[in-house]
mmCIF file of all heavy atoms in Angstrom:
data_model
loop_
_atom_site.group_PDB
_atom_site.id
_atom_site.type_symbol
_atom_site.label_atom_id
_atom_site.label_comp_id
_atom_site.label_asym_id
_atom_site.label_seq_id
_atom_site.Cartn_x
_atom_site.Cartn_y
_atom_site.Cartn_z
ATOM 1 N N ILE A 1 -125.863 45.482 70.451
ATOM 2 C CA ILE A 1 -126.222 45.112 71.710
ATOM 3 C C ILE A 1 -124.989 44.797 72.700
ATOM 4 O O ILE A 1 -124.853 45.094 73.863
ATOM 5 C CB ILE A 1 -127.201 44.051 71.896
ATOM 6 C CG1 ILE A 1 -127.924 43.956 73.353
ATOM 7 C CG2 ILE A 1 -126.824 42.712 71.450
ATOM 8 C CD1 ILE A 1 -129.018 43.089 73.384
ATOM 9 N N PHE A 2 -123.953 44.076 71.972
ATOM 10 C CA PHE A 2 -122.714 43.812 72.628
ATOM 11 C C PHE A 2 -121.832 45.054 72.973
ATOM 12 O O PHE A 2 -121.201 45.190 74.070
ATOM 13 C CB PHE A 2 -121.960 42.805 71.999
ATOM 14 C CG PHE A 2 -122.612 41.505 71.685
ATOM 15 C CD1 PHE A 2 -122.105 40.755 70.539
ATOM 16 C CD2 PHE A 2 -123.796 41.122 72.250
ATOM 17 C CE1 PHE A 2 -122.804 39.510 70.297
ATOM 18 C CE2 PHE A 2 -124.424 39.932 71.937
ATOM 19 C CZ PHE A 2 -123.958 39.108 70.897
ATOM 20 N N ASP A 3 -121.708 45.926 71.903
ATOM 21 C CA ASP A 3 -121.061 47.203 72.131
ATOM 22 C C ASP A 3 -121.675 48.108 73.135
ATOM 23 O O ASP A 3 -120.916 48.648 73.971
ATOM 24 C CB ASP A 3 -121.066 47.901 70.797
ATOM 25 C CG ASP A 3 -120.164 47.108 69.697
ATOM 26 O OD1 ASP A 3 -119.373 46.305 70.101
ATOM 27 O OD2 ASP A 3 -120.348 47.454 68.484
ATOM 28 N N VAL A 4 -122.988 48.220 73.199
ATOM 29 C CA VAL A 4 -123.595 49.056 74.191
ATOM 30 C C VAL A 4 -123.467 48.396 75.513
ATOM 31 O O VAL A 4 -123.111 49.123 76.457
ATOM 32 C CB VAL A 4 -125.120 49.084 73.725
ATOM 33 C CG1 VAL A 4 -125.974 49.677 75.041
ATOM 34 C CG2 VAL A 4 -125.377 49.891 72.558
ATOM 35 N N ALA A 5 -123.579 47.071 75.708
ATOM 36 C CA ALA A 5 -123.352 46.452 76.996
ATOM 37 C C ALA A 5 -121.981 46.655 77.477
ATOM 38 O O ALA A 5 -121.719 46.980 78.698
ATOM 39 C CB ALA A 5 -123.601 44.968 76.833
ATOM 40 N N LEU A 6 -120.942 46.554 76.571
ATOM 41 C CA LEU A 6 -119.510 46.797 77.028
ATOM 42 C C LEU A 6 -119.485 48.261 77.495
ATOM 43 O O LEU A 6 -118.688 48.519 78.583
ATOM 44 C CB LEU A 6 -118.552 46.481 75.897
ATOM 45 C CG LEU A 6 -117.087 46.719 76.256
ATOM 46 C CD1 LEU A 6 -116.703 45.997 77.439
ATOM 47 C CD2 LEU A 6 -116.230 46.393 74.992
ATOM 48 N N GLY A 7 -120.020 49.202 76.799
ATOM 49 C CA GLY A 7 -119.924 50.619 77.280
ATOM 50 C C GLY A 7 -120.479 50.756 78.620
ATOM 51 O O GLY A 7 -119.896 51.448 79.440
ATOM 52 N N ILE A 8 -121.582 50.053 78.893
ATOM 53 C CA ILE A 8 -122.296 50.167 80.210
ATOM 54 C C ILE A 8 -121.308 49.546 81.343
ATOM 55 O O ILE A 8 -121.192 50.031 82.390
ATOM 56 C CB ILE A 8 -123.656 49.598 80.217
ATOM 57 C CG1 ILE A 8 -124.561 50.408 79.354
ATOM 58 C CG2 ILE A 8 -124.251 49.525 81.580
ATOM 59 C CD1 ILE A 8 -125.906 49.851 79.060
ATOM 60 N N TRP A 9 -120.754 48.456 81.105
ATOM 61 C CA TRP A 9 -119.826 47.662 81.928
ATOM 62 C C TRP A 9 -118.663 48.637 82.183
ATOM 63 O O TRP A 9 -118.155 48.492 83.234
ATOM 64 C CB TRP A 9 -119.554 46.246 81.484
ATOM 65 C CG TRP A 9 -120.238 45.165 82.136
ATOM 66 C CD1 TRP A 9 -119.840 44.567 83.354
ATOM 67 C CD2 TRP A 9 -121.383 44.626 81.788
ATOM 68 N NE1 TRP A 9 -120.756 43.734 83.771
ATOM 69 C CE2 TRP A 9 -121.729 43.562 82.836
ATOM 70 C CE3 TRP A 9 -122.304 44.803 80.746
ATOM 71 C CZ2 TRP A 9 -122.844 42.728 82.656
ATOM 72 C CZ3 TRP A 9 -123.404 43.940 80.674
ATOM 73 C CH2 TRP A 9 -123.715 42.990 81.667
ATOM 74 N N PHE A 10 -118.284 49.328 81.156
ATOM 75 C CA PHE A 10 -117.111 50.302 81.324
ATOM 76 C C PHE A 10 -117.434 51.430 82.177
ATOM 77 O O PHE A 10 -116.609 52.215 82.517
ATOM 78 C CB PHE A 10 -116.697 50.676 79.877
ATOM 79 C CG PHE A 10 -115.376 51.451 79.787
ATOM 80 C CD1 PHE A 10 -114.337 50.883 80.136
ATOM 81 C CD2 PHE A 10 -115.500 52.811 79.367
ATOM 82 C CE1 PHE A 10 -113.032 51.768 80.209
ATOM 83 C CE2 PHE A 10 -114.372 53.566 79.215
ATOM 84 C CZ PHE A 10 -113.169 52.968 79.715
ATOM 85 N N GLY A 11 -118.752 51.738 82.252
ATOM 86 C CA GLY A 11 -119.168 52.857 83.209
ATOM 87 C C GLY A 11 -119.822 53.970 82.420
ATOM 88 O O GLY A 11 -120.107 55.083 82.982
ATOM 89 N N GLN A 12 -120.017 53.818 81.057
ATOM 90 C CA GLN A 12 -120.651 54.725 80.252
ATOM 91 C C GLN A 12 -122.255 54.578 80.309
ATOM 92 O O GLN A 12 -122.717 53.604 80.499
ATOM 93 C CB GLN A 12 -120.278 54.681 78.846
ATOM 94 C CG GLN A 12 -118.705 54.837 78.724
ATOM 95 C CD GLN A 12 -118.355 56.214 79.147
ATOM 96 O OE1 GLN A 12 -118.778 57.298 78.777
ATOM 97 N NE2 GLN A 12 -117.345 56.233 80.154
ATOM 98 N N PRO A 13 -122.944 55.760 80.192
ATOM 99 C CA PRO A 13 -124.411 55.584 79.937
ATOM 100 C C PRO A 13 -124.780 54.760 78.691
ATOM 101 O O PRO A 13 -124.039 54.792 77.679
ATOM 102 C CB PRO A 13 -124.925 56.943 79.930
ATOM 103 C CG PRO A 13 -123.834 57.873 79.491
ATOM 104 C CD PRO A 13 -122.570 57.060 79.956
ATOM 105 N N SER A 14 -125.899 54.205 78.690
ATOM 106 C CA SER A 14 -126.339 53.485 77.432
ATOM 107 C C SER A 14 -126.488 54.523 76.220
ATOM 108 O O SER A 14 -127.101 55.512 76.414
ATOM 109 C CB SER A 14 -127.646 52.780 77.704
ATOM 110 O OG SER A 14 -128.082 52.165 76.449
ATOM 111 N N THR A 15 -126.018 54.038 75.121
ATOM 112 C CA THR A 15 -126.264 54.776 73.893
ATOM 113 C C THR A 15 -127.379 54.151 73.090
ATOM 114 O O THR A 15 -127.603 54.777 72.003
ATOM 115 C CB THR A 15 -124.886 54.745 72.979
ATOM 116 O OG1 THR A 15 -124.518 53.354 72.764
ATOM 117 C CG2 THR A 15 -123.779 55.346 73.710
ATOM 118 N N LEU A 16 -128.110 53.367 73.673
ATOM 119 C CA LEU A 16 -129.145 52.674 73.087
ATOM 120 C C LEU A 16 -130.411 52.967 74.020
ATOM 121 O O LEU A 16 -130.306 52.422 75.234
ATOM 122 C CB LEU A 16 -129.020 51.140 72.810
ATOM 123 C CG LEU A 16 -130.034 50.296 72.063
ATOM 124 C CD1 LEU A 16 -130.190 50.889 70.655
ATOM 125 C CD2 LEU A 16 -129.686 48.907 72.033
ATOM 126 N N CYS A 17 -131.403 53.467 73.582
ATOM 127 C CA CYS A 17 -132.564 53.844 74.408
ATOM 128 C C CYS A 17 -133.177 52.772 75.150
ATOM 129 O O CYS A 17 -133.699 52.894 76.247
ATOM 130 C CB CYS A 17 -133.594 54.722 73.653
ATOM 131 S SG CYS A 17 -134.388 53.756 72.251
ATOM 132 N N VAL A 18 -133.149 51.528 74.563
ATOM 133 C CA VAL A 18 -133.707 50.428 75.151
ATOM 134 C C VAL A 18 -133.193 50.118 76.518
ATOM 135 O O VAL A 18 -133.854 49.826 77.371
ATOM 136 C CB VAL A 18 -133.573 49.179 74.223
ATOM 137 C CG1 VAL A 18 -134.036 47.928 74.900
ATOM 138 C CG2 VAL A 18 -134.175 49.422 72.901
ATOM 139 N N PHE A 19 -131.969 50.349 76.692
ATOM 140 C CA PHE A 19 -131.321 50.147 78.008
ATOM 141 C C PHE A 19 -130.929 51.377 78.781
ATOM 142 O O PHE A 19 -130.384 51.271 79.932
ATOM 143 C CB PHE A 19 -130.045 49.280 77.782
ATOM 144 C CG PHE A 19 -130.338 47.951 77.065
ATOM 145 C CD1 PHE A 19 -129.720 47.673 75.869
ATOM 146 C CD2 PHE A 19 -131.281 47.203 77.569
ATOM 147 C CE1 PHE A 19 -130.059 46.461 75.173
ATOM 148 C CE2 PHE A 19 -131.626 45.940 76.953
ATOM 149 C CZ PHE A 19 -130.892 45.622 75.738
ATOM 150 N N ALA A 20 -131.373 52.434 78.303
ATOM 151 C CA ALA A 20 -131.201 53.762 79.135
ATOM 152 C C ALA A 20 -132.041 53.640 80.335
ATOM 153 O O ALA A 20 -133.172 53.052 80.230
ATOM 154 C CB ALA A 20 -131.409 55.017 78.232
ATOM 155 N N GLU A 21 -131.782 54.432 81.374
ATOM 156 C CA GLU A 21 -132.581 54.503 82.617
ATOM 157 C C GLU A 21 -133.983 55.230 82.316
ATOM 158 O O GLU A 21 -134.987 54.814 82.838
ATOM 159 C CB GLU A 21 -131.845 55.207 83.669
ATOM 160 C CG GLU A 21 -132.604 55.239 84.933
ATOM 161 C CD GLU A 21 -131.888 55.907 86.095
ATOM 162 O OE1 GLU A 21 -131.103 56.836 85.953
ATOM 163 O OE2 GLU A 21 -132.260 55.640 87.296
ATOM 164 N N THR A 22 -133.929 56.219 81.344
ATOM 165 C CA THR A 22 -135.045 56.887 81.066
ATOM 166 C C THR A 22 -135.213 56.896 79.576
ATOM 167 O O THR A 22 -134.286 56.760 78.809
ATOM 168 C CB THR A 22 -135.087 58.326 81.556
ATOM 169 O OG1 THR A 22 -134.047 59.123 81.133
ATOM 170 C CG2 THR A 22 -135.006 58.376 83.061
ATOM 171 N N CYS A 23 -136.408 57.353 79.098
ATOM 172 C CA CYS A 23 -136.736 57.478 77.697
ATOM 173 C C CYS A 23 -136.839 59.011 77.270
ATOM 174 O O CYS A 23 -136.690 59.840 78.108
ATOM 175 C CB CYS A 23 -138.041 56.846 77.288
ATOM 176 S SG CYS A 23 -138.189 55.010 77.238
ATOM 177 N N GLY A 24 -137.045 59.109 76.013
ATOM 178 C CA GLY A 24 -137.461 60.432 75.605
ATOM 179 C C GLY A 24 -136.524 61.239 74.646
ATOM 180 O O GLY A 24 -136.731 62.286 74.256
ATOM 181 N N ASN A 25 -135.423 60.577 74.402
ATOM 182 C CA ASN A 25 -134.316 61.209 73.474
ATOM 183 C C ASN A 25 -134.435 60.799 72.082
ATOM 184 O O ASN A 25 -133.687 61.348 71.208
ATOM 185 C CB ASN A 25 -132.948 60.948 74.067
ATOM 186 C CG ASN A 25 -132.646 61.572 75.347
ATOM 187 O OD1 ASN A 25 -133.137 62.562 75.693
ATOM 188 N ND2 ASN A 25 -131.873 60.913 76.135
ATOM 189 N N GLY A 26 -135.392 59.887 71.789
ATOM 190 C CA GLY A 26 -135.527 59.389 70.404
ATOM 191 C C GLY A 26 -136.847 59.805 69.829
ATOM 192 O O GLY A 26 -137.600 58.896 69.386
ATOM 193 N N VAL A 27 -137.033 61.097 69.740
ATOM 194 C CA VAL A 27 -138.381 61.586 69.135
ATOM 195 C C VAL A 27 -138.491 61.252 67.759
ATOM 196 O O VAL A 27 -137.524 60.929 67.120
ATOM 197 C CB VAL A 27 -138.554 63.042 69.503
ATOM 198 C CG1 VAL A 27 -138.701 63.303 70.905
ATOM 199 C CG2 VAL A 27 -137.501 63.895 68.824
ATOM 200 N N ILE A 28 -139.656 61.214 67.281
ATOM 201 C CA ILE A 28 -139.921 60.966 65.780
ATOM 202 C C ILE A 28 -140.681 62.128 65.255
ATOM 203 O O ILE A 28 -141.647 62.489 65.782
ATOM 204 C CB ILE A 28 -140.738 59.582 65.617
ATOM 205 C CG1 ILE A 28 -140.711 59.170 64.200
ATOM 206 C CG2 ILE A 28 -142.010 59.581 66.282
ATOM 207 C CD1 ILE A 28 -139.564 58.694 63.556
ATOM 208 N N LEU A 29 -140.285 62.587 64.093
ATOM 209 C CA LEU A 29 -140.884 63.597 63.416
ATOM 210 C C LEU A 29 -141.511 63.059 62.030
ATOM 211 O O LEU A 29 -140.826 62.503 61.252
ATOM 212 C CB LEU A 29 -139.821 64.759 63.053
ATOM 213 C CG LEU A 29 -140.302 65.930 62.307
ATOM 214 C CD1 LEU A 29 -141.285 66.721 63.125
ATOM 215 C CD2 LEU A 29 -139.174 66.778 61.859
ATOM 216 N N GLU A 30 -142.766 63.325 61.876
ATOM 217 C CA GLU A 30 -143.475 62.890 60.672
ATOM 218 C C GLU A 30 -143.318 63.864 59.628
ATOM 219 O O GLU A 30 -143.043 65.086 59.919
ATOM 220 C CB GLU A 30 -144.949 62.498 61.054
ATOM 221 C CG GLU A 30 -145.209 61.344 61.968
ATOM 222 C CD GLU A 30 -145.044 60.041 61.215
ATOM 223 O OE1 GLU A 30 -145.327 59.906 60.065
ATOM 224 O OE2 GLU A 30 -144.191 59.199 61.802
ATOM 225 N N HIS A 31 -143.673 63.569 58.437
ATOM 226 C CA HIS A 31 -143.562 64.408 57.279
ATOM 227 C C HIS A 31 -144.326 65.658 57.383
ATOM 228 O O HIS A 31 -144.104 66.713 56.751
ATOM 229 C CB HIS A 31 -143.869 63.674 55.949
ATOM 230 C CG HIS A 31 -145.402 63.288 55.874
ATOM 231 N ND1 HIS A 31 -145.906 62.340 56.648
ATOM 232 C CD2 HIS A 31 -146.363 64.006 55.208
ATOM 233 C CE1 HIS A 31 -147.357 62.398 56.406
ATOM 234 N NE2 HIS A 31 -147.531 63.358 55.590
ATOM 235 N N ASN A 32 -145.423 65.667 58.128
ATOM 236 C CA ASN A 32 -146.304 66.802 58.198
ATOM 237 C C ASN A 32 -145.940 67.682 59.421
ATOM 238 O O ASN A 32 -146.592 68.635 59.711
ATOM 239 C CB ASN A 32 -147.770 66.419 58.372
ATOM 240 C CG ASN A 32 -148.021 65.557 59.639
ATOM 241 O OD1 ASN A 32 -147.128 65.312 60.463
ATOM 242 N ND2 ASN A 32 -149.240 65.205 59.915
ATOM 243 N N GLY A 33 -144.831 67.392 60.078
ATOM 244 C CA GLY A 33 -144.399 68.147 61.185
ATOM 245 C C GLY A 33 -144.860 67.738 62.582
ATOM 246 O O GLY A 33 -144.476 68.286 63.628
#
């Protein structure tokens, strides 16, 4: 959380979905497809 925060203060987009502006990049695939 500190590393992600520093990245954001540095001007980078969040690398952690929790703090990203939008969701949807962390899909989940189950064993059955």
Side-chain angles (χ1 to χ4, degrees):
I1 192 171
F2 305 160
D3 294 340
V4 168
L6 180 55
I8 294 170
W9 258 271
F10 186 64
Q12 300 298 309
S14 177
T15 57
L16 186 60
C17 64
V18 172
F19 302 121
E21 184 178 25
T22 60
C23 287
N25 294 327
V27 295
I28 186 76
L29 180 64
E30 290 289 315
H31 70 283
N32 65 353

